[in-house]
Amino acid sequence: MPTILGQNQYGKAENRVVKITRDGDTHHIKDLNVSVALSGDLDDVHYNGSNANCLPTDTTKNTCFAFAKEYGIESAEQYGIHLARHFVDSQPSIHRARIRIEEYSWERIGGSDSNSKFIGADEVKHSFVRKGQETRLAQITYDGENFEVLTGLKDLTVMNSTNSEFWGYIKDKYTTLTEDYDRILATSLSTWWRHNWTSDEQRMPSWERSYEQAKKHILHAFVETYSLSLQQTLYQMGSRVINNRSEIDEIRFSAPNKHHFRQDLSPFGLDNEAKDGAVYYAADRPYGLIEATILRDGVEPKIPVDMTNL
């Protein structure tokens, strides 16, 4: 045979699972986009078209919805762990399951100041507005023995309007960028971090708290770093997470630089200095793309570099 089969996987992608939990009159939402990828003894389905070892993708879809009802969704990570374990442990032909999840956040809408409510309602606790910050991410992989749990976020756009400089860089005959000692630093963060929990023999982290705390440390480091480069800021953000969250061993960032350039207003007789409150134009593209992995000392990197980059 002139060809052989290489890496392969299959499953149902982008299952939109929304679970409402009712705590009396107070409702809670978990809104997920769930993709399942399975690997194992699947040579025959590729070589011969035999489906004997193939769990239908439609079944994987149904399982996603059934598990949301049977077990609830405590967190994206916990839900993904349940699914990954089920697909591998219940099917002899499936040796590896990867569950990738996007979570969309909602926040509760409060009542009006006039306290006007519809008849029969003591307090409205079931109305929500979609949050517009980041999208939370999770990826759970299970091979029958060990789990790998990655958590992350994307599209978290942040800005410092000062306390950022960029100077002292290489200059050659193609360099036109001028040094800047008071610039806007803005980026839209995408990041994954890896937990060191790998099996039920270990104490499982509180996934919800872990996510909130990791995000908090990322933002605090962004605020508190006087930045001479976006690379320096990424390193400080990653270090803050690693040093404060013992359950996290590795974090990888992808940060497109949202460039803001001071507009040249000299043709109109106007100065446009940062110290006076400048006017900028926001450049859409091209953009600098800065990426880095930060690790706990002694830990080997495992997050694929192509999970975040172009």
Side-chain angles (χ1 to χ4, degrees):
M1 182 179 292
T3 63
I4 61 171
L5 179 66
Q7 190 278 338
N8 62 89
Q9 60 191 33
Y10 80 102
K12 191 71 82 176
E14 300 204 48
N15 300 284
R16 291 290 283 108
V17 180
V18 179
K19 174 69 170 70
I20 303 296
T21 300
R22 295 192 175 200
D23 182 11
D25 291 334
T26 302
H27 296 185
H28 306 275
I29 297 177
K30 282 292 186 181
D31 184 353
L32 308 182
N33 188 23
V34 185
S35 294
V36 177
L38 307 178
S39 306
D41 292 331
L42 299 168
D43 286 6
D44 285 346
V45 69
H46 290 87
Y47 289 138
N48 308 315
S50 170
N51 294 314
N53 287 341
C54 184
L55 184 71
T57 65
D58 190 66
T59 303
T60 68
K61 174 204 71 177
N62 294 340
T63 306
C64 291
F65 288 99
F67 269 45
K69 181 61 177 177
E70 288 185 69
Y71 302 106
I73 303 176
E74 176 185 320
S75 66
E77 290 85 355
Q78 185 65 63
Y79 173 72
I81 288 168
H82 280 313
L83 284 172
R85 179 186 285 119
H86 166 78
F87 288 127
V88 173
D89 290 352
S90 68
Q91 303 297 327
S93 61
I94 302 302
H95 300 163
R96 182 178 183 271
R98 188 199 70 195
I99 313 299
R100 185 173 289 177
I101 300 172
E102 295 181 344
E103 179 175 346
Y104 312 117
S105 298
W106 297 78
E107 60 185 354
R108 202 173 306 282
I109 302 174
S112 66
D113 293 339
S114 64
N115 210 30
S116 175
K117 306 179 181 72
F118 57 85
I119 296 173
D122 294 328
E123 187 175 354
V124 178
K125 297 180 180 179
H126 57 257
S127 299
F128 301 86
V129 60
R130 175 81 168 263
K131 284 186 177 180
Q133 287 190 4
E134 82 279 10
T135 298
R136 179 172 169 175
L137 306 171
Q139 178 174 291
I140 297 87
T141 305
Y142 178 58
D143 62 6
E145 294 183 1
N146 293 305
F147 288 92
E148 180 186 73
V149 180
L150 304 181
T151 299
L153 56 84
K154 66 178 181 179
D155 302 327
L156 181 64
T157 302
V158 292
M159 174 191 285
N160 281 330
S161 55
T162 189
N163 286 357
S164 176
E165 305 178 15
F166 190 60
W167 53 271
Y169 43 81
I170 294 172
K171 301 176 183 69
D172 65 14
K173 65 180 181 179
Y174 301 112
T175 301
T176 59
L177 185 70
T178 58
E179 294 185 337
D180 199 339
Y181 296 86
D182 190 354
R183 69 169 182 167
I184 286 176
L185 179 66
T187 185
S188 183
L189 290 171
S190 295
T191 181
W192 287 95
W193 54 88
R194 179 170 57 84
H195 298 270
N196 49 39
W197 181 88
T198 59
S199 74
D200 292 325
E201 296 178 358
Q202 301 168 264
R203 181 179 179 181
M204 186 178 291
S206 171
W207 303 113
E208 296 289 273
R209 176 170 173 75
S210 179
Y211 176 83
E212 292 301 328
Q213 290 294 306
K215 178 185 171 184
K216 180 192 75 172
H217 290 302
I218 288 170
L219 293 177
H220 284 182
F222 182 78
V223 170
E224 296 168 6
T225 300
Y226 191 104
S227 180
L228 300 177
S229 67
L230 182 50
Q231 288 92 329
Q232 176 196 16
T233 300
L234 290 189
Y235 181 76
Q236 291 299 321
M237 290 192 291
S239 295
R240 186 79 67 99
V241 171
I242 297 295
N243 289 332
N244 285 278
R245 302 306 304 174
S246 62
E247 74 276 16
I248 298 172
D249 277 354
E250 175 186 7
I251 183 167
R252 179 166 177 80
F253 292 95
S254 180
N257 204 328
K258 298 290 188 181
H259 295 297
H260 290 71
F261 298 108
R262 273 185 290 140
Q263 183 68 32
D264 181 10
L265 300 179
S266 60
F268 318 116
L270 297 172
D271 292 331
N272 195 28
E273 297 298 323
K275 63 183 178 61
D276 299 323
V279 175
Y280 300 82
Y281 71 90
D284 176 60
R285 63 193 65 181
Y287 51 84
L289 181 60
I290 314 301
E291 299 180 301
T293 298
I294 296 89
L295 301 156
R296 191 177 302 283
D297 189 22
V299 169
E300 294 294 323
K302 294 183 179 180
I303 300 175
V305 297
D306 61 357
M307 286 189 72
T308 55
N309 65 5
L310 287 177

